[in-house]
Amino acid sequence: MGIVVLTMKASVIEMFLVLLATGIHSNKDMTKKIKRPKLTVPQINCDVKAGKIINPEFVVKCPAGCQDPKYHVYGTDIYASYSSVCGAAIHSGVLDNSGGKILVRKVAGQSGYKGSYSNGVQSLSLPRWRESFIVSEGKPQRGVTYPSALTYSSSKSPAAKTDEATKAYQKPPVPGTTAQPVTLTQVTGATATGAAHASLPKPSPSAGSTSSSLRPQPVGLRSGELDLWATSTYTSGQNSPHADPGEMDLWKPGSVLLDAGFVPKEELSTRALEPLSQGDPNCKIDLSFVIDGSSSIGKRRFRIQKQFLADVAQALDIGPAGPLMGIVQYGDNPSAQFNLRTHMNSRDLRTAIEKITQRGGLSNAGRAISFVTKNFFSKANGNRGSAPNVAVVIVDGWPTDKVEEASRFARESGINIFFITVEGATENEKQYVVEPNFSHKAVCRTNGFYSLNVQSWFSLHKTVQALVKRVCDTDRLACSKTCLNSADIGFVIDGSSSVGTGNFRTVLQFVANLSKEFEISDIDTRIGAVQYTYEQRLEFGFDDYNTKSDILNAIKRVGYWSGGTSTGAAINYALEQLFKKSKPNKRKLMILITDGRSYDDVRIPAMVAHHKGVITYAIGVAWAAQDELEVIATHPAKDHSFFVDEFDNLYKFVPKVIQNICTEFNSQPRN
């Protein structure tokens, strides 16, 4: 009996083990059946921009070769959505040029994006953009489902291969035609037979009024954008009381759209949207328009003037890397409408111009020019220092005050004054003009380059291109301070017996060659010369000649003196006879040329010259003492002293001297 019981117990145990084993295998089979398919990673081209992809977070595969500079990237670490996705990945160091998988996450737009060079990619700066993204390694995060197909905002898919699981959004069909598919993304919860793409039919016109409809269409969306807006409402979450559960299963759970809860209108547009311009780099100027708001101009002409300003703003291509523009309006008194940094692109500037209202009063242009000189071109108002300062003054008829003195002060402060006179005084009216030939007195050149006379306000628009061409021609903006037009240069020339007649003519040719490099006039660079032996002689002063041809002729006429070498006394003489008469706003440069050691002490005179702000260049030839040259020269001596082995080689040092003068000038603060 006991044996039977044991046998039965053994049978029960055996049966239990069989059932258990069967259950385990069954479980494994079930597990195999419900195992989720491996994520398909979409591949994109190098030129695909993040802004063209609607998905807020996704994993993609980049091809090789995206380091090419033609794939533009904007920003550092956080990139504007106008950037190439793959280019940004290389710039950030997540990928190299061989390509690979990356994780992209959209974030809010930034007020500015700073360009930088990193990993072989030069990213660009951008003032602002509506949307940003960040890039990280393409490792999916636990619990997050990524789309196996991307949804694009354009009508043409930028997918890299035609056999990828990605389709482009198609423009909605007109009523009565077959609806085109919109890309949808498969997620967990879809049936095993569900496709990676599904079609969303275009909502019927009455759909918005039914209780089971989507959200009401946002104000401002064009009808052609409605399908994508409908797509965004599905994407923004599953908990909408009006959403159909069967449709929601097709969408990635937990998706959150940016900012307003749906894709920005700009991103949904089927037209590619360019970023705000950085400005024309070939026209980098700081520009002030000084406009006439006097009562005499009238409302109609004032509107014409504003339209002219708007047209100029558009033609200039305003931007931080190009021209910047502000406006001052004058009547009885001037007032800044906005400064250089207020509006950083042509579009915003045109909008601001439209809002300007007329001041009224007299036409005190001179007072306005003084205001611009003293207040407008400051660092606080956006003056960049590295760009020429330009002021364009518009006058209806003639000013009611004088402009000559104010304009001269402006020019000497480095401002290029342009005058536009509209409907100038007739012969009968000239008796009422406060200052005859006021426009010629205001500008630094009377060759017509800086002044425009317009017969009628109704033809003002014809001058837009001519004016833009002139203000952008920075090589001809002679009124701005540069290293070549803002100095008083005094040559101190050794005429001692050791030089000799032939070598002295070579020295004069060297002086002429240097002088040719400068812009010479009474308000630009001025030239003077002293010759010395034991004694000193003023050959010509700063005020004697104000054209380049006159200066060159004066240099030719200098006669060789012959005698001893008292260089210290010559320096003192030049300080008294030349530089004491230098203008306060001029850089004072002394260029001393000698062929031997001085008979007198040079240390104290050189120290006095340095103390008085005279920048001294010492050029020694043949037997000149190099230690003495270094004492005479301004510190650092290596940049201000030169030694030439023989007179015939002097000409070779002209470029080096000019380069050092300009390098020193450009290293100093401007205006």
Side-chain angles (χ1 to χ4, degrees):
M1 192 68 176
I3 296 174
V4 174
V5 172
L6 288 173
T7 303
M8 288 178 64
K9 286 184 176 179
S11 299
V12 171
I13 292 171
E14 185 179 354
M15 186 181 296
F16 175 75
L17 292 174
V18 170
L19 290 172
L20 183 61
T22 303
I24 290 172
H25 285 296
S26 178
N27 245 356
K28 287 183 178 178
D29 291 340
M30 289 176 66
T31 303
K32 288 180 181 177
K33 288 180 182 178
I34 66 171
K35 185 177 179 180
R36 297 187 183 113
K38 186 178 180 181
L39 173 67
T40 301
V41 177
Q43 184 167 329
I44 60 174
N45 283 334
C46 297
D47 60 352
V48 173
K49 300 176 178 66
K52 304 307 290 182
I53 301 172
I54 292 178
N55 309 80
E57 189 170 357
F58 51 90
V59 176
V60 291
K61 185 176 182 180
C62 291
C66 295
Q67 202 175 39
D68 195 305
K70 69 181 179 180
Y71 305 124
H72 294 167
V73 177
Y74 298 88
T76 301
D77 296 328
I78 299 178
Y79 302 95
S81 64
Y82 196 73
S83 304
S84 158
V85 173
C86 299
I90 296 175
H91 182 271
S92 66
V94 174
L95 288 184
D96 57 25
N97 201 35
S98 61
K101 289 192 294 185
I102 57 171
L103 172 61
V104 179
R105 181 164 60 88
K106 300 284 190 70
V107 295
Q110 306 291 303
S111 59
Y113 300 84
K114 186 177 182 181
S116 65
Y117 182 82
S118 178
N119 301 307
V121 176
Q122 176 65 59
S123 70
L124 308 174
S125 296
L126 198 63
R128 59 183 177 273
W129 196 243
R130 57 181 172 269
E131 183 186 58
S132 312
F133 68 99
I134 57 178
V135 186
S136 58
E137 293 183 6
K139 296 179 180 179
Q141 298 179 16
R142 186 180 299 276
V144 179
T145 305
Y146 299 97
S148 57
L150 301 176
T151 305
Y152 292 93
S153 63
S154 67
S155 59
K156 182 180 179 181
S157 170
K161 297 181 179 179
T162 57
D163 59 349
E164 289 171 5
T166 303
K167 292 184 180 178
Y169 160 73
Q170 301 294 329
K171 288 183 69 176
V174 295
T177 63
T178 304
Q180 297 296 323
V182 176
T183 302
L184 304 183
T185 307
Q186 183 183 10
V187 298
T188 305
T191 63
T193 58
H197 306 285
S199 296
L200 179 68
K202 182 178 179 180
S204 64
S206 60
S209 61
T210 64
S211 61
S212 61
S213 67
L214 303 173
R215 292 184 294 166
Q217 179 179 350
V219 176
L221 272 182
R222 296 188 294 270
S223 60
E225 295 165 346
L226 180 57
D227 288 341
L228 279 178
W229 173 82
T231 297
S232 73
T233 62
Y234 281 113
T235 309
S236 63
Q238 302 180 33
N239 301 322
S240 169
H242 305 301
D244 179 49
E247 291 177 325
M248 287 192 295
D249 285 344
L250 294 170
W251 294 90
K252 169 184 168 183
S255 297
V256 178
L257 289 182
L258 300 174
D259 301 330
F262 56 94
V263 180
K265 176 179 176 180
E266 295 87 349
E267 283 294 311
L268 295 176
S269 174
T270 57
R271 294 178 296 176
L273 197 65
E274 295 293 329
L276 294 175
S277 172
Q278 293 293 294
D280 182 4
N282 296 315
C283 183
K284 188 177 180 181
I285 59 171
D286 289 340
L287 172 64
S288 169
F289 265 92
V290 186
I291 65 172
D292 194 337
S294 62
S295 301
S296 63
I297 192 174
K299 292 182 179 180
R300 186 180 182 186
R301 289 177 173 83
F302 190 75
R303 285 196 301 270
I304 293 173
Q305 184 177 215
K306 290 203 301 180
Q307 184 59 52
F308 173 74
L309 296 177
D311 293 343
V312 171
Q314 186 65 38
L316 280 173
D317 188 14
I318 301 297
L324 296 180
M325 176 174 157
I327 294 179
V328 171
Q329 182 185 173
Y330 66 92
D332 290 333
N333 294 297
S335 175
Q337 300 295 310
F338 42 84
N339 62 37
L340 295 167
R341 64 170 55 180
T342 308
H343 303 292
M344 302 295 283
N345 61 78
S346 296
R347 182 189 63 198
D348 291 350
L349 192 57
R350 286 168 61 91
T351 301
I353 290 169
E354 180 59 32
K355 297 177 181 178
I356 295 176
T357 57
Q358 187 176 358
R359 293 181 62 84
L362 299 175
S363 184
N364 290 331
R367 188 174 295 178
I369 295 170
S370 295
F371 173 86
V372 168
T373 305
K374 296 175 182 177
N375 302 295
F376 188 85
F377 289 108
S378 66
K379 187 175 181 180
N381 287 334
N383 184 32
R384 291 171 287 187
S386 59
N389 295 159
V390 179
V392 178
V393 183
I394 303 177
V395 177
D396 174 47
W398 58 88
T400 52
D401 64 349
K402 294 186 177 182
V403 301
E404 182 178 14
E405 188 64 21
S407 298
R408 183 189 62 77
F409 183 59
R411 297 196 310 268
E412 291 181 355
S413 299
I415 301 173
N416 294 276
I417 299 288
F418 284 77
F419 245 75
I420 300 178
T421 306
V422 188
E423 297 182 2
T426 63
E427 285 299 320
N428 293 333
E429 293 172 330
K430 286 183 178 179
Q431 58 182 316
Y432 305 113
V433 176
V434 175
E435 189 177 34
N437 298 318
F438 61 88
S439 61
H440 281 185
K441 295 176 181 178
V443 299
C444 66
R445 294 285 185 277
T446 57
N447 57 6
F449 182 80
Y450 289 91
S451 56
L452 291 166
N453 292 307
V454 183
Q455 296 301 314
S456 166
W457 279 99
F458 302 102
S459 58
L460 181 61
H461 67 278
K462 297 178 181 179
T463 65
V464 170
Q465 292 302 325
L467 178 64
V468 168
K469 185 177 180 180
R470 294 185 192 188
V471 298
C472 290
D473 189 357
T474 53
D475 291 336
R476 294 186 66 183
L477 295 181
C479 301
S480 288
K481 289 182 180 178
T482 71
C483 60
L484 301 178
N485 66 14
S486 59
D488 282 342
I489 302 176
F491 288 97
V492 181
I493 307 167
D494 185 346
S496 61
S497 301
S498 59
V499 175
T501 303
N503 288 334
F504 186 77
R505 304 315 302 177
T506 303
V507 171
L508 292 182
Q509 185 59 55
F510 174 73
V511 171
N513 290 342
L514 281 173
S515 300
K516 287 177 184 177
E517 298 295 323
F518 294 90
E519 293 291 334
I520 296 173
S521 77
D522 59 336
I523 64 168
D524 294 320
T525 291
R526 303 186 304 168
I527 305 289
V530 167
Q531 185 184 174
Y532 74 95
T533 57
Y534 284 129
E535 301 177 285
Q536 306 84 36
R537 181 169 77 194
L538 179 65
E539 300 293 353
F540 53 89
F542 292 138
D543 293 322
D544 291 345
Y545 306 105
N546 55 24
T547 69
K548 189 174 294 188
S549 59
D550 287 347
I551 288 292
L552 296 179
N553 287 330
I555 292 171
K556 288 180 183 178
R557 291 195 297 268
V558 173
Y560 177 48
W561 204 356
S562 187
T565 309
S566 295
T567 305
I571 294 173
N572 283 331
Y573 182 86
L575 293 176
E576 283 298 310
Q577 298 300 317
L578 272 180
F579 292 102
K580 197 170 184 178
K581 299 176 182 179
S582 182
K583 291 184 178 181
N585 65 323
K586 297 289 186 181
R587 295 172 70 238
K588 296 181 278 290
L589 304 180
M590 180 190 296
I591 301 177
L592 186 144
I593 309 159
T594 182
D595 80 328
R597 185 177 290 276
S598 177
Y599 293 169
D600 61 355
D601 181 65
V602 299
R603 289 173 297 177
I604 294 177
M607 191 180 301
V608 172
H610 301 162
H611 181 72
K612 290 186 175 182
V614 178
I615 301 169
T616 306
Y617 289 83
I619 301 171
V621 190
W623 303 280
Q626 293 193 42
D627 59 333
E628 198 170 78
L629 296 176
E630 293 176 358
V631 170
I632 295 170
T634 295
H635 180 79
K638 65 181 180 65
D639 295 330
H640 297 85
S641 63
F642 304 87
F643 181 80
V644 188
D645 54 355
E646 54 185 66
F647 286 94
D648 288 342
N649 289 330
L650 267 172
Y651 75 95
K652 297 179 181 179
F653 283 79
V654 170
K656 183 62 177 175
V657 174
I658 296 297
Q659 179 185 346
N660 285 19
I661 289 173
C662 287
T663 299
E664 183 176 60
F665 174 84
N666 292 332
S667 67
Q668 303 300 314
R670 297 263 324 273
N671 294 335

